[in-house]
Amino acid sequence: MELEVAGRSVRLSSPDKVFFPERGYTKLDLARYYAVVGPGILRALRNRPTTLERYPDGVGGEWFYQKRAPKSMPGWIPTARITFPSGRSADEMCPTEEAAVVWAAQYGTLTFHPWPVRAADLDHPDELRIDLDPQPGTDYDDAVRAASELRAVLDEFGGLRGWPKTSGGRGLHIFVPIEPRWTFTQVRRAAIAVGREMERRMPDRVTIKWWKEERGERIFLDYNQTARDRTIASAYSVRPHSHAPVSAPLRWEEVTVARPRDFDLATMPARFAERGDVHADMDDHAYSLDALLELARRDEHDHGLGDLPYPPEHPKMPGEPKRVQPSRARGEQAP
């Protein structure tokens, strides 16, 4: 069948194929969802290299991340050439139309993972993304408490404003639009500074310990989500869980009353029709990281707090500490 999406026709094969057996949602339901929230998700993806998280046979089947643009991709969807930490490069889809999202849904894409850069400048992020990830023994309410303090930290260091959204799981994401004049390394350094300040204010509730064995029952502020080639699910993305939740943009006043399960493939279209994209004004702002980078400098100079471990796929970075989990390091040092 053909779907008309913002003036462009998108072909949909096997529209009755079930993608979410528990709820009975089909590929057509998925495509129609993305057509309805098209203006919102395009705002989140526009001109950004985007990795596709694909489930061709639905949530119960095999899945994979597609970083390279498929050969079958139509010519009206542009690409951008991104460089991975390994030095390799790839051309990723770079949506500029709502129909591009529905086209990707035709191939089983549930979740869209945009880079924090635009096609015009692929080496300087224009978003500081903060992932508040509940660890075992914690839940969404714990993430909410951390988000409230995070809001205060952002305001204190540079008058920054964050735009919150549910992760689609148990956590929260806070996106801060920034001027695209810092490298990935510098933006990550700013994220580490935020994490350390959060640890000082909420030591029993927040951690930036990279190794799981050290985190305890605390919210993990994942500073490595700002490393090159690390991405976070976009606003409005459907997440691969049986009840078809979506990553829902929120206003700050909604954070304490919302629950992740409130937002799914069935409920988000009505919310979008009523309120529109509650993050529509994000692109009207671009903040400076100067205050956070000064905080990072003070942490390093006054307290000896240097770099932290990178993700395992990254090459060893200058100044990075030993990339070995503490229990193993202790075992290696034992007589």
Side-chain angles (χ1 to χ4, degrees):
M1 63 181 299
E2 301 273 337
L3 287 182
E4 290 296 320
V5 184
R8 192 179 291 277
S9 182
V10 180
R11 182 176 177 273
L12 198 69
S13 64
S14 304
D16 296 329
K17 188 173 187 177
V18 176
F19 272 18
F20 293 90
E22 181 179 295
R23 305 289 297 273
Y25 298 144
T26 64
K27 181 192 285 189
L28 179 59
D29 293 323
L30 178 70
R32 283 177 170 164
Y33 164 78
Y34 277 129
V36 169
V37 301
I41 192 167
L42 181 62
R43 187 267 312 156
L45 302 179
R46 190 188 302 274
N47 294 318
R48 298 188 184 279
T50 301
T51 297
L52 309 179
E53 187 176 346
R54 291 179 55 189
Y55 291 75
D57 296 313
V59 292
E62 294 184 2
W63 65 277
F64 57 95
Y65 290 111
Q66 179 139 13
K67 296 188 175 184
R68 299 179 185 275
K71 293 182 180 179
S72 59
M73 195 171 73
W76 52 268
I77 301 178
T79 61
R81 178 156 296 181
I82 48 88
T83 302
F84 302 117
S86 65
R88 290 184 170 184
S89 61
D91 294 328
E92 288 201 345
M93 74 175 293
C94 205
T96 56
E97 300 183 36
E98 296 169 29
V101 180
V102 177
W103 174 87
Q106 145 66 17
Y107 289 93
T109 301
L110 298 188
T111 307
F112 295 82
H113 296 267
W115 280 50
V117 297
R118 308 275 185 171
D121 187 348
L122 297 170
D123 293 315
H124 297 90
D126 68 346
E127 287 180 345
L128 170 65
R129 298 174 174 179
I130 300 173
D131 181 7
L132 298 175
D133 184 11
Q135 300 302 289
T138 64
D139 56 21
Y140 178 78
D141 288 332
D142 295 297
V144 167
R145 282 189 283 269
S148 178
E149 189 61 42
L150 173 63
R151 187 182 186 188
V153 169
L154 292 174
D155 182 62
E156 184 175 332
F157 291 93
L160 308 182
R161 174 187 168 194
W163 277 254
K165 68 183 185 71
T166 66
S167 66
R170 299 186 306 139
L172 280 166
H173 300 152
I174 315 297
F175 284 11
V176 180
I178 60 174
E179 300 167 10
R181 59 187 179 95
W182 294 278
T183 65
F184 279 92
T185 302
Q186 291 171 311
V187 174
R188 178 178 175 275
R189 186 166 169 246
I192 290 173
V194 170
R196 284 180 169 144
E197 183 65 20
M198 289 288 292
E199 279 189 328
R200 285 188 282 266
R201 298 184 183 204
M202 306 181 76
D204 297 326
R205 293 186 178 274
V206 174
T207 182
I208 58 169
K209 297 292 187 184
W210 177 245
W211 305 107
K212 291 183 179 180
E213 64 188 33
E214 294 187 305
R215 294 176 190 169
E217 295 184 359
R218 292 178 286 184
I219 297 296
F220 174 49
L221 192 150
D222 190 353
Y223 62 90
N224 267 332
Q225 292 290 23
T226 52
R228 181 182 285 272
D229 195 30
R230 281 296 178 108
T231 56
I232 294 179
S234 76
Y236 301 102
S237 273
V238 179
R239 306 312 308 275
H241 304 298
S242 59
H243 58 291
V246 304
S247 180
L250 301 174
R251 297 188 177 98
W252 275 108
E253 60 268 23
E254 296 178 298
V255 170
T256 56
V257 295
R259 287 295 178 268
R261 292 188 74 99
D262 294 342
F263 311 104
D264 60 28
L265 200 67
T267 61
M268 180 55 81
R271 173 181 167 87
F272 193 85
E274 178 185 350
R275 304 189 184 187
D277 178 16
V278 298
H279 286 188
D281 63 332
M282 267 189 70
D283 290 346
D284 297 334
H285 303 267
Y287 294 99
S288 170
L289 290 181
D290 286 342
L292 284 179
L293 291 173
E294 173 58 21
L295 175 62
R297 188 198 66 77
R298 294 202 306 269
D299 281 344
E300 294 157 7
H301 182 269
D302 299 342
H303 305 292
L305 299 174
D307 205 353
L308 294 173
Y310 271 80
E313 69 273 13
H314 276 247
K316 185 70 175 178
M317 299 294 285
E320 180 187 0
K322 194 173 183 180
R323 203 182 295 178
V324 178
Q325 65 190 69
S327 59
R328 175 180 287 185
R330 287 192 295 269
E332 291 174 352
Q333 294 169 5

